[in-house]
């Protein structure tokens, strides 16, 4: 199972909107509606931000939203804030009851 | 509150084995799948496999099959991940993560991570 493809980095000014893509195959992203997104600050455990493509856990601001089209899922952060600066990883359920993570995207707030 | 407390940092020589523990508290240990994920320096997250604490059933990522063993001790609400035949490429931070038993197929709580260094 190859890692899902994400852009290495994205950046934006406070208040702007950024979108991170996550491209897989029909065996993972395209074939299952179980894509999740995680925010990861170095030295800490990752934090769940989106699950099942579009759903937000309790406590996650509605500035974070998810979507999917074909083999590509996306995470959109609107109203960018300084504490959004982190690494973001997508993860998809895949065939054979396995999971595959994305390559990771560093979000920088200018 | 839900907590996953992992064992401390390890330094191992090549060809050795390492066993990392993950003690769960704040919920029923047997009610949720428990996954292991690692992150090598400068690299992304990599899923290693899961264990069903209730039954002991496991599913390992293909690239770790034959080298990884996931076990649990329900009497102390602790899961273990043992990796054998260590190489320098196994230097990483190893995380345990709980799969949400209501929504499934996502990881709602994570341990703090256990750094494992393979060095001669």
């Amino acid at each position: 199972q190859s890692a899902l493809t994400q852009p290495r980095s994205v950046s934006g000014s406070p208040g702007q909107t950024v979108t991170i893509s996550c491209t897989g195959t029909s065996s993972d992203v395209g074939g299952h509606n179980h894509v999740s997104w995680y925010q990861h600050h170095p030295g800490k455990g990752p934090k769940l931000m989106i699950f099942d493509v579009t759903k937000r856990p309790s406590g996650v601001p509605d500035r974070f939203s998810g979507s999917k089209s074909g083999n590509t899922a996306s995470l959109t952060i609107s109203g960018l804030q300084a504490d959004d600066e982190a690494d973001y990883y997508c993860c998809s359920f895949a065939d054979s009851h396995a999971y595959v993570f994305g390559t990771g995207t560093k979000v920088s707030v200018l | 509150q839900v907590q996953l407390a992992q064992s401390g940092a390890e330094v191992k020589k090549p060809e050795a084995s390492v066993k990392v523990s993950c003690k769960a508290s704040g919920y029923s240990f047997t009610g949720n799948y428990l996954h292991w994920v690692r992150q090598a320096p400068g690299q992304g997250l990599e899923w290693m496999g899961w264990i069903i604490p209730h039954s002991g059933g496991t599913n390992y990522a293909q690239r770790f099959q034959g080298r990884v063993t996931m076990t649990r001790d329900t009497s102390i609400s602790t899961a273990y991940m043992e990796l054998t035949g260590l190489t320098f490429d196994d230097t990483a931070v190893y995380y345990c993560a709980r799969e949400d038993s209501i929504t499934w197929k996502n990881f709602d709580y994570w341990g703090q991570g256990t750094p494992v260094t393979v060095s001669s």
Side-chain angles (χ1 to χ4, degrees), chain A residues 34 36 38 40 44-46 48 51-52 89 91 93 96-99 101-103, chain B residues 33 35 37 39 43-47 50 59 95 99 103 105-108 110-111:
Chain A
H34 297 294
S36 50
Y38 300 86
H40 191 203
K44 300 174 71 174
L48 177 65
F51 67 95
D52 287 353
Y89 292 90
C91 180
F93 179 73
S96 302
H97 209 152
Y99 292 79
F101 279 93
T103 49
Chain B
Y33 283 41
H35 296 250
V37 175
Q39 182 177 35
Q43 304 298 309
L45 300 175
E46 181 176 28
W47 179 77
W50 51 250
N59 185 30
Y95 295 97
E99 181 173 338
T103 58
K105 298 179 174 59
N106 61 84
F107 314 129
D108 60 350
W110 294 67

Side-chain angles (χ1 to χ4, degrees), chain A residues 59-108:
Chain A
V60 173
D62 60 7
R63 302 185 295 105
F64 292 84
S65 62
S67 62
K68 190 184 90 166
S69 176
N71 294 339
T72 298
S74 298
L75 173 71
T76 298
I77 310 172
S78 58
L80 199 61
Q81 298 181 0
D83 60 0
D84 296 334
E85 191 161 285
D87 295 325
Y88 290 82
Y89 292 90
C90 60
C91 180
S92 177
F93 179 73
D95 295 349
S96 302
H97 209 152
Y99 292 79
V100 58
F101 279 93
T103 49
T105 299
K106 182 176 181 60
V107 171
S108 299

Side-chain angles (χ1 to χ4, degrees), chain B residues 3-85:
Chain B
Q3 287 191 334
L4 298 173
Q6 298 185 224
S7 48
E10 302 264 13
V11 179
K12 297 291 182 180
K13 293 192 182 303
E15 297 302 315
S17 300
V18 68
K19 191 170 186 177
V20 179
S21 68
C22 172
K23 182 171 177 60
S25 60
Y27 74 100
S28 175
F29 177 64
T30 54
N32 297 69
Y33 283 41
L34 206 294
H35 296 250
W36 290 90
V37 175
R38 77 177 187 179
Q39 182 177 35
Q43 304 298 309
L45 300 175
E46 181 176 28
W47 179 77
M48 299 180 70
W50 51 250
I51 183 168
I52 306 173
H54 176 70
S55 65
T58 55
N59 185 30
Y60 305 139
Q62 197 164 9
R63 65 167 292 181
F64 296 106
Q65 285 184 6
R67 280 212 304 142
V68 70
T69 303
M70 296 177 188
T71 58
R72 91 289 187 223
D73 183 340
T74 57
S75 68
I76 55 172
S77 300
T78 299
Y80 303 92
M81 186 284 301
E82 182 173 25
L83 191 62
T84 61

Side-chain angles (χ1 to χ4, degrees), chain B residues 98-115:
Chain B
R98 188 186 85 156
E99 181 173 338
D100 189 329
S101 62
I102 297 175
T103 58
W104 299 99
K105 298 179 174 59
N106 61 84
F107 314 129
D108 60 350
Y109 287 93
W110 294 67
Q112 81 276 19
T114 296

